Each structure stands twice: as structure tokens, then as C-alpha cells.
């Protein structure tokens, strides 16, 4: 029996088992093997963040989508498959025949089963794990990216570290960091680790590297997102650092082993940093720093965004000042203020909309969580400002504020509403 990939199942299955979380392997049915292989293939076929690939895979599944490519079905035919699948009507309408044909033209040159086998073999060699949506270790924040969410991700390191993303903060900034920026980053990373946070960053030179080093030095958890394959550490000067992160934390990429980083992939990698973390803080950045791209993703996702100010004469801090002035980033100057962006309370954190694990009658609703997240403990905010931050109507915000005031969670002041510090 052969798979749709024209490869012997006896050759494919052991490779998929080798890169699948160990606990899932015993119950992995043939259909699940094909689906995981297809998702692995899609990480090589589509560029990170490819909206049309994400929509097609979400609507009809990775295996049928890949099968259609192999059979050289055109845009009109693929659209018909999407429509016949009973997928979301709005998404199906967005997938016009012309749009799909353009996407197929992009994907077709990369539909090569042997390349996927090589990537899987390399992944197995480096003890890399392939995670797909639905796996217990799949980062929940990725789902907020919608059709731009990764189809699968490749992980080196401790899978258990991924569970700590629910209490993580992303620390990002300039590659050409100053002594000031590195000092602030070191104190921020160590201080947040001491408060129970996991540090997320991109392993670049400068601010990113210091964030990871300080977390490791403080015996904390840290996770690095790469813009290339996890078998090819980049930058090469951080080979030793990334090796330590693999030993103590985790290194993640949505690109298969053997893939090279590109400018586009760096920009798309940033969306994963923002989506996987509870908040993003830019510690030092120039006017055109790539870390502002991460900040933009965080803002678009509704994640809290902080920026550390620097000397007004320093070009290296101009990007942070720009975020504070033009993009409503919260000015943070110490670890306590950074932690206020994503308070952990009893040491755990809930993604917006997640149920309370205790299941109590007093569990906050999704609207309550969003309103609480939109409030500050220091700066009073008017109801219309809270509504804009929470993505709710003013009427809904006022109703939630009333309920929260009765619970003692918030307080009204002359200039607006404040969130009370947890006791």
C-alpha cells in the first residue's frame, strides 16, 4: 500500500513516529500518519503565514489539500473541493479560483515528496518534534492568528517548556544594542523569571540574545523562535546559546529542517513570538527596527504592548519612543511595571476566552477577561477607551465594569476606571 505521496508507507510511518510526541505514537492511526506527513510537507511548500494555504488546510484538511496539489488540480477545481467540503461560506468565497490558481502556482514547484522525507530524516537525527494543531503541547496563542496560524511547527528541546507559554512575556529589541539596552534587558529578563514568567524571544544578536542568556542564568525557562530550520542555528554566533536553550528550554520554527532564514521569514517569525506570549515588551529599538514588526503583531492580536524609554538623544531608543507616542504602548521602566502587563495572580494565566480550570460559578466570562486586560492599575481609562482596547461595544464594557465593581476587581475614579491590584 502506498500513500498519496507515492512513498511506501513502511518508510514514511517510522519517520512520522520518530518526530511525533512520544505519548501520541501508540495510538497513531494510518490516517493520522498521513495528516502529519501532509502538514510536514505544507511547512516546506507554503511560506510562513501564507493565508491561502492556511484557509485551504483549515477547510478541507492537510491531506486532501496536498493530494489536490499532487494531482495538479487547478484553482477552479480546488475551489470546488473547498465548496463541496461544506467549509465556512465566507472563507470559501474569499478563495476565488484566481486567488487559488495564483497560490497553486506558488506552491507547485515545491511539491516534492523526497524533500519532505529528507527534512523528516534530518528532524529525527536532531531529535526534533513535529507539533500540529490538536496536540496537547500546541501553543494556544497560535490559534489567534486565524488563517495565518502555522500549519505545523518543529521543536527541539523540552516539550514540557511549551506549557509555560501561558505565563510568558516576549522581550525583543535591536540587534545593535547599546550597553544601556543590554543592561535593562538583563534586569528585565532575570526579574521576570523570578516572578514566574517564561522569556520568549528570537535568539538574534543584541537584545534577544541577552534576554535568553539572563533567563538561563536565572535558572528560568526560555523559548527561542527561529526563521529557519531548527537544525541550522542562526545566527551562527549564537550556536552555543541555542544549544543551551535546547537543553533547558525549547527552540521552535515553522520551517522544516534544512530551511534557510530570509528577511520575509524573520518578519513572519515575529508573529509567532507575539502570538505565543501574554505580552510583548520592546526594550531598545531604532526607528526602523525589526522588533517594531513584532510589536505591530502584538498590537493587532490585542496583546499588551510595553516599551522601555531611553535617552532622548539615543537613536537606539527612537523606536521605543515611537511606540509610546504613536502606537499606545505602555511605558515601562522596571520589572514590576512589565509584570503588570500580564499579571499571573496565583501563578497561572488564562488565554482570553479560556474556561476557569476550577469551573466555578464565579469564573470570569470572556468579556470580563478582555475588559480586565484592557484596564491599567495606574492610569484611569474611560469606558470608550476600554471598549476600543477590548474590542467590545461601550454598552457591553459598562455592563462588565458594573459587575467587576461589585466584585471589587475594579474601581471608578474621576478620570475613569482602574484595575485593582490582586491581594
Amino acid at each position: 500500500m502506498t500513500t498519496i505521496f507515492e512513498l511506501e508507507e513502511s518508510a514514511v510511518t517510522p519517520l512520522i513516529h520518530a518526530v511525533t510526541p512520544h505519548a501520541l505514537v501508540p495510538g497513531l492511526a494510518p490516517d493520522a500518519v498521513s495528516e502529519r506527513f501532509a502538514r510536514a510537507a505544507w511547512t516546506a511548500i507554503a511560506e510562513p503565514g501564507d493565508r491561502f494555504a492556511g484557509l485551504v488546510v483549515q477547510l478541507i484538511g492537510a491531506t486532501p489539500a496536498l493530494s489536490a496539489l499532487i494531482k495538479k488540480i487547478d484553482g477552479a477545481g480546488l475551489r470546488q473541493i473547498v465548496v463541496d467540503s461544506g467549509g465556512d461560506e465566507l472563507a470559501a468565497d474569499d478563495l476565488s479560483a484566481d486567488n487559488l490558481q495564483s497560490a497553486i502556482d506558488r506552491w507547485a514547484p515545491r511539491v516534492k515528496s523526497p524533500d519532505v522525507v529528507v527534512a523528516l530524516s534530518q528532524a529525527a537525527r536532531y531529535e526534533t518534534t513535529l507539533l500540529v494543531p490538536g496536540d496537547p503541547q500546541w501553543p494556544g496563542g497560535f490559534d489567534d492568528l486565524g488563517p495565518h496560524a502555522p500549519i505545523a511547527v518543529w521543536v527541539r528541546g523540552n516539550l514540557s517548556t511549551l506549557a509555560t507559554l501561558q505565563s510568558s512575556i516576549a522581550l525583543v529589541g535591536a540587534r545593535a544594542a547599546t550597553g544601556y539596552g543590554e543592561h535593562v534587558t538583563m534586569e528585565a529578563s532575570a526579574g521576570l523569571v523570578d516572578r514566574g514568567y517564561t522569556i520568549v524571544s528570537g535568539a538574534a544578536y543584541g537584545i534577544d540574545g541577552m534576554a535568553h542568556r539572563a533567563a538561563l542564568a536565572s535558572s528560568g525557562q526560555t523559548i527561542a523562535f527561529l526563521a529557519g530550520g531548527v537544525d541550522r542555528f542562526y545566527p551562527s554566533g549564537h550556536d552555543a546559546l541555542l544549544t543551551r536553550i535546547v537543553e533547558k528550554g525549547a527552540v521552535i520554527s515553522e520551517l522544516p529542517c534544512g530551511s534557510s532564514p530570509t528577511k520575509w521569514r524573520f518578519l513572519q517569525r515575529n508573529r509567532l513570538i507575539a502570538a505565543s506570549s501574554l505580552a510583548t515588551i520592546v526594550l531598545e529599538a531604532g526607528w526602523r527596527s525589526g522588533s517594531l514588526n513584532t510589536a505591530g503583531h502584538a498590537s493587532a492580536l490585542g496583546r499588551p504592548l510595553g516599551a522601555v524609554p531611553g535617552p532622548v538623544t539615543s537613536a537606539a531608543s527612537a523606536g521605543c519612543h515611537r511606540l509610546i507616542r504613536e502606537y499606545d504602548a505602555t511605558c515601562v521602566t522596571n520589572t514590576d511595571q512589565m509584570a503588570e502587563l500580564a499579571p499571573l495572580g496565583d501563578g497561572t494565566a488564562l488565554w482570553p476566552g479560556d474556561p476557569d480550570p476550577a469551573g466555578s460559578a464565579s469564573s470570569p466570562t470572556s468579556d470580563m477577561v478582555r475588559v480586565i486586560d484592557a484596564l491599567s492599575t495606574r492610569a484611569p481609562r474611560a469606558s470608550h477607551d476600554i471598549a476600543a482596547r477590548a474590542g467590545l461595544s461601550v454598552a457591553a464594557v459598562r455592563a462588565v465594569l458594573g459587575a467587576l465593581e461589585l466584585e471589587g476587581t475594579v474601581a471608578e475614579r474621576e478620570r475613569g476606571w482602574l484595575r485593582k491590584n490582586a491581594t
Side-chain angles (χ1 to χ4, degrees):
M1 177 181 177
T2 59
T3 69
I4 63 169
F5 318 104
E6 300 178 353
L7 296 167
E8 289 295 330
E9 188 173 2
S10 59
V12 171
T13 301
L15 287 174
I16 293 299
H17 284 174
V19 298
T20 297
H22 299 314
L24 299 179
V25 171
L28 210 57
D31 286 349
V33 170
S34 293
E35 181 70 8
R36 298 185 85 88
F37 185 96
R39 286 185 176 271
W42 274 107
T43 65
I45 292 169
E47 279 296 303
D50 189 316
R51 182 166 175 269
F52 293 109
L55 281 172
V56 170
V57 170
Q58 284 181 15
L59 292 171
I60 68 174
T63 303
L66 184 56
S67 180
L69 281 184
I70 292 172
K71 294 176 181 177
K72 298 183 178 179
I73 292 174
D74 62 12
L78 183 54
R79 173 177 164 73
Q80 191 59 51
I81 293 174
V82 172
V83 172
D84 291 344
S85 72
D88 180 79
E89 184 177 347
L90 181 61
D93 288 344
D94 191 44
L95 295 175
S96 69
D98 289 343
N99 286 341
L100 285 173
Q101 188 58 54
S102 295
I104 289 171
D105 291 343
R106 294 196 304 270
W107 303 331
R110 294 182 174 179
V111 183
K112 301 175 182 178
S113 294
D115 290 352
V116 183
V117 174
V118 170
L120 285 168
S121 299
Q122 188 75 342
R125 176 186 172 192
Y126 282 90
E127 298 183 342
T128 299
T129 301
L130 176 71
L131 290 183
V132 303
D135 286 351
Q137 300 89 353
W138 183 258
F142 287 172
D143 298 335
D144 291 343
L145 292 167
H148 298 286
I151 293 173
V153 293
W154 304 84
V155 183
R156 280 182 70 183
N158 304 308
L159 290 182
S160 59
T161 303
L162 301 188
T164 67
L165 283 171
Q166 292 193 20
S167 55
S168 67
I169 287 182
L171 299 182
V172 297
R175 287 176 172 80
T178 66
Y180 164 80
E182 291 189 341
H183 177 76
V184 170
T185 302
M186 178 180 64
E187 291 194 339
S189 182
L192 289 170
V193 162
D194 289 344
R195 288 162 174 77
Y197 292 91
T198 290
I199 302 303
V200 172
S201 199
Y205 291 129
I207 299 300
D208 290 16
M210 180 56 73
H212 291 304
R213 288 192 190 92
L216 291 170
S218 299
S219 301
Q221 301 273 23
T222 188
I223 297 173
F225 284 86
L226 303 187
V230 295
D231 61 324
R232 301 172 61 176
F233 287 158
Y234 185 91
S236 58
H238 277 175
D239 186 272
L241 172 61
L242 285 163
T243 299
R244 290 176 60 206
I245 295 174
V246 168
E247 294 171 353
K248 303 294 184 180
V251 174
I252 305 175
S253 176
E254 59 186 311
L255 290 149
C257 289
S259 300
S260 301
T262 65
K263 184 176 181 180
W264 169 257
R265 290 171 177 176
F266 276 113
L267 293 174
Q268 291 302 301
R269 178 276 310 270
N270 291 343
R271 82 192 195 286
L272 301 187
I273 293 175
S276 63
S277 308
L278 293 179
T280 294
I281 298 170
V282 182
L283 295 118
E284 187 177 50
W287 189 262
R288 298 181 181 275
S289 171
S291 58
L292 302 188
N293 174 259
T294 309
H297 285 298
S299 181
L301 290 166
R303 301 285 195 271
L305 175 62
V308 176
V312 295
T313 55
S314 173
S317 290
C320 291
H321 300 156
R322 181 184 182 190
L323 289 174
I324 295 169
R325 179 178 173 83
E326 299 179 14
Y327 297 93
D328 202 28
T330 301
C331 177
V332 289
T333 59
N334 56 51
T335 309
D336 286 336
Q337 292 175 5
M338 295 176 188
E340 285 180 5
L341 295 176
L344 296 183
D346 62 353
T348 60
L350 296 176
W351 292 104
D354 281 356
D356 188 308
S360 65
S362 61
S363 300
T365 65
S366 176
D367 285 357
M368 284 182 174
V369 173
R370 291 166 69 175
V371 169
I372 290 171
D373 285 345
L375 288 165
S376 169
T377 58
R378 294 176 179 269
R381 291 173 180 165
S383 55
H384 67 272
D385 182 20
I386 299 169
R389 292 170 183 268
L392 299 170
S393 69
V394 174
V397 166
R398 287 172 177 165
V400 171
L401 287 171
L404 292 175
E405 185 178 28
L406 290 175
E407 293 180 0
T409 305
V410 302
E412 187 175 15
R413 299 290 184 261
E414 183 178 349
R415 296 174 55 197
W417 292 85
L418 286 170
R419 182 179 73 237
K420 292 184 177 180
N421 283 315
T423 56

